[in-house]
Amino acid sequence: MIRILRQIFRTGIVTNQTPQFDDPKIKVVGINLDDSVKKRFRRSLSVREVDAGSCNGCELEIHAINNPVYDCERFGIHFTASPRFADVLLVTGPVSKNMEVALRRTYDAVASPKIVIAVGDCGCNGGIFGETYASLGGIDKVIPVNIYIPGCPPTPADILNGFYKIFLAVKNPVMI
Amino acid sequence: MKKLAHALKSAFGEDAKADVNSNPVTLTVPVERFAEAAKTLKDGSAFLCAEWATDDTESGRGFCVYACLREGGEYLIVKAEMSSEAAGPEFPSLVTHFVPAYRFERQIRSLMGIIPRGHPDGRPWIKFEDWPEDAWPLRKSFDASKAMTCSEGQYLWLEAEGEGVYEIAVGPVHAGIIEPGHFRFQAVGETIINLEERLGYVHKGIEKRFESMTWETAVKLAGRVSGDTTVAHSTAYSMALESMTHCHVPERAQWLRALFIERERIANHLGDIGAICNDAAFAFMLYQCSRLKEAMMATNHRLFGHRFMMDRVIPGGVTVDISVDAKKEILSELDFLDENFNMLVRIYEESSSLEDRVRSTGILTSKLARELCVVGIVARASGLDVDCRVHNTFPPYDSIGVNVPALTAGDVHARVWVRVFEIRESMRLLRRILKTIPSGSLFAHCNAVLPDTTGFAAVEGWRGEIIYWIKSGQQGEINRCMVRDPSSVNWLALEQAIKGNIVPDFPICNKSFNQSYSGHDL
Ligand code: SF4
């Protein structure tokens, strides 16, 4: 036990203090949040991640925003196990033919109002996998998308920037 | 002649014809003797690495089926041609001789429309039951650019009956941030009596996609077969192409590839150790390990321009060099990693509550491991001494030498410990590489690909052996690219290792295997 404590103290706080937030790469469409939503999302955003067919590169970077350096929970971004509890669906793709139904069902299971973020070049437009018999292309081919975060894969900072757009959209920038 | 080739030659005589231009040695046997050939090789203690098919109907021939086998450092491909006249192409199944053929052949049947005669399981694999019956995407006549019209369908699950037996269905969308797949457990009380996996959810048509790309651009796709193994996959693809075009990669480029591969190995192993401990509610390790992993990712980004070093390996060489300063930076990072990692390993060893969860959980016995022909970390934790860096060695591994751990317990702890050992070994390799990396250029041009040739490579990624087999068509274009990620064989082992364990131990078992869905589903 003493060793664990010593290692914790030795490590200290490694969280990156200054992510750079306003990223022009990231495209936002159609978020129009009414007052109740502003209240609901303030500093508390439950996210359900769905891999709709990615190569798992994007998943690694989504993991990384949870690591101590990026620590997304300090902004109130919290990953949840059930779509029922989620405000946001964070989807990586392309949407594979075999995941189409599961993605739709997950989307339907999220209570309204909901926001969908497409992560990665594949999530934005199908990326290198394109549109084929097995890949339907970007996430918006199957469910409506509000925020697009390009990159292959986008860096953890890019992904946090994407989230920041939600906070901006509610005109209450709580990220400091 | 090497052992396997010799065994087959002496058993089959004139019936086993050697293909002169192919690498590795490829012996063509009459299709009705295909299973018999596999049996002969199994008696020579061969492992089955992969089984796949090609469609040569465009060039006036029929379909071909291939099996790649390995014994020690020798790879051998057995090939059988099916006549183009036959109405429904068939070949004798290898399932009775090699267990992994079970899924390879279901896949061949589903995606190529060739029947493995004698295979006990007619259900589709990767192809879902709602696809049109005659959608065989790997056939040349299949138009991959068109969307499929799907209908309703029902997958026939294995069922268990009896008093107190119940079922738990999980997925495809899981609770964590992981890839999709479906697991169905049959349990009695807490004990799992059977697990059935159903994969294929992230099938993106990668093998077919290769056929629409050029040799140069396809390396990008290879680097995205499984994102966490991007370096090893692009290296394997590149080496297969280089073997096909007899390209001599400059030495410095080869050493840099090894540097990238070992960095990828350390980073992923660190992530896994943290995640496994986290599944035993030891979150401290997760945060500590992910901090070390993040440090490596950031260094990659700074020095090589990409956090995972995607697209840094290309056919003929690499695209980035390493400067003197960068070397220093990596060396000092290694010291930092070393110090912290050793402390974490000590803490791991001293935590008896953790030990309680990882020891004797999810045992894959050596016997099963051998039967299932598993590879990589899973194999090395279950007493199999396999590592391409040693048995299929290539520069710089041949001159540096690699120490391979061999544990026999086959439980979660052994799979953690293999990773601990490998992290340390990779750190040693990195130091050696940095110290003695030869100077020279980074890239050599590959010759144009000749029509109707094949290439092959096997590279040890962090999960295990990755195999690429490529074939050119009449115009020298990509005619077929067979990808065999370690996951394609290792997934079967998880099903076996979990039997008799309790349901709450599944996550930790699964993490200790940590196989790729994308690499399997393609
Ligand atoms: S965007 Fe890149 S990293 Fe993400 S899923 Fe697609 S290929 Fe993989």
Side-chain angles (χ1 to χ4, degrees), chain A residues 51 53-61 92-94 119-124 126-129 149-154, chain B residues 204 220-221 223-228 306 308 310 518:
Chain A
D51 174 344
S54 95
C55 78
N56 80 28
C58 284
E59 271 60 38
L60 291 184
E61 295 299 46
T92 62
V119 180
D121 287 350
C122 296
C124 293
I128 193 162
F129 304 105
I149 307 178
C152 183
Chain B
K204 296 179 279 291
K220 280 193 113 170
L221 184 58
R224 285 157 181 80
V225 166
S226 181
D228 51 17
H306 193 286
F308 303 146
M310 267 181 178
S518 183

Side-chain angles (χ1 to χ4, degrees), chain B residues 203-463:
Chain B
H203 175 67
K204 296 179 279 291
I206 290 179
E207 286 186 320
K208 188 74 175 183
R209 187 97 180 138
F210 269 111
E211 294 169 19
S212 66
M213 302 181 103
T214 66
W215 294 105
E216 292 74 35
T217 52
V219 67
K220 280 193 113 170
L221 184 58
R224 285 157 181 80
V225 166
S226 181
D228 51 17
T229 325
T230 175
V231 177
H233 265 280
S234 39
T235 305
Y237 169 83
S238 300
M239 285 175 63
L241 184 57
E242 287 149 11
S243 84
M244 196 172 185
T245 54
H246 308 287
C247 172
H248 292 289
V249 179
E251 248 191 289
R252 186 174 180 84
Q254 288 180 323
W255 284 62
L256 282 169
R257 284 178 181 179
L259 178 106
F260 300 156
I261 290 178
E262 296 311 319
R263 286 185 69 79
E264 183 171 84
R265 189 180 324 276
I266 298 176
N268 279 293
H269 282 355
L270 279 172
D272 279 359
I273 294 174
I276 293 167
C277 294
N278 191 47
D279 274 352
F282 198 32
F284 162 81
M285 279 294 240
L286 174 69
Y287 291 110
Q288 290 282 336
C289 287
S290 56
R291 163 190 169 232
L292 300 184
K293 180 177 179 182
E294 177 59 35
M296 294 191 76
M297 294 288 127
T299 308
N300 286 346
H301 197 121
R302 244 190 346 270
L303 302 182
F304 308 117
H306 193 286
R307 285 166 55 91
F308 303 146
M309 300 172 289
M310 267 181 178
D311 309 325
R312 296 307 179 256
V313 176
I314 53 167
V318 293
T319 60
V320 275
D321 201 0
I322 181 168
S323 64
V324 180
D325 288 344
K327 272 193 207 171
K328 281 202 198 110
E329 199 173 325
I330 296 183
L331 282 172
S332 70
E333 186 192 69
L334 281 172
D335 292 338
F336 158 79
L337 288 175
D338 225 356
E339 190 195 338
N340 282 282
F341 184 63
N342 285 337
M343 180 55 71
L344 296 180
V345 173
R346 259 186 103 165
I347 293 172
Y348 174 94
E349 284 179 298
E350 286 172 359
S351 306
S352 45
S353 58
L354 185 61
E355 193 176 354
D356 186 45
R357 292 290 308 277
V358 294
R359 291 252 189 202
S360 69
T361 305
I363 297 177
L364 182 73
T365 61
S366 298
K367 187 167 167 285
L368 260 178
R370 169 165 283 281
E371 251 171 62
L372 297 170
C373 303
V374 293
V375 296
I377 34 177
V378 174
R380 294 193 282 276
S382 292
L384 295 186
D385 183 13
V386 286
D387 190 322
C388 295
R389 292 175 297 172
V390 177
H391 69 241
N392 184 38
T393 191
F394 50 89
Y397 296 117
D398 52 355
S399 56
I400 306 179
V402 183
N403 299 313
V404 180
L407 284 91
T408 49
D411 55 4
V412 172
H413 172 71
R415 286 185 286 276
V416 172
W417 210 247
V418 164
R419 289 170 165 105
V420 169
F421 189 102
E422 291 192 2
I423 289 177
R424 290 184 168 149
E425 177 64 4
S426 295
M427 289 193 191
R428 182 187 74 84
L429 293 174
L430 284 181
R431 290 201 171 98
R432 264 303 296 276
I433 291 171
L434 290 171
K435 206 164 128 205
T436 41
I437 184 168
S439 54
S441 56
L442 298 180
F443 175 77
H445 272 287
C446 290
N447 297 326
V449 174
L450 300 174
D452 233 352
T453 49
T454 58
F456 173 90
V459 169
E460 191 75 14
W462 66 270
R463 274 196 188 90

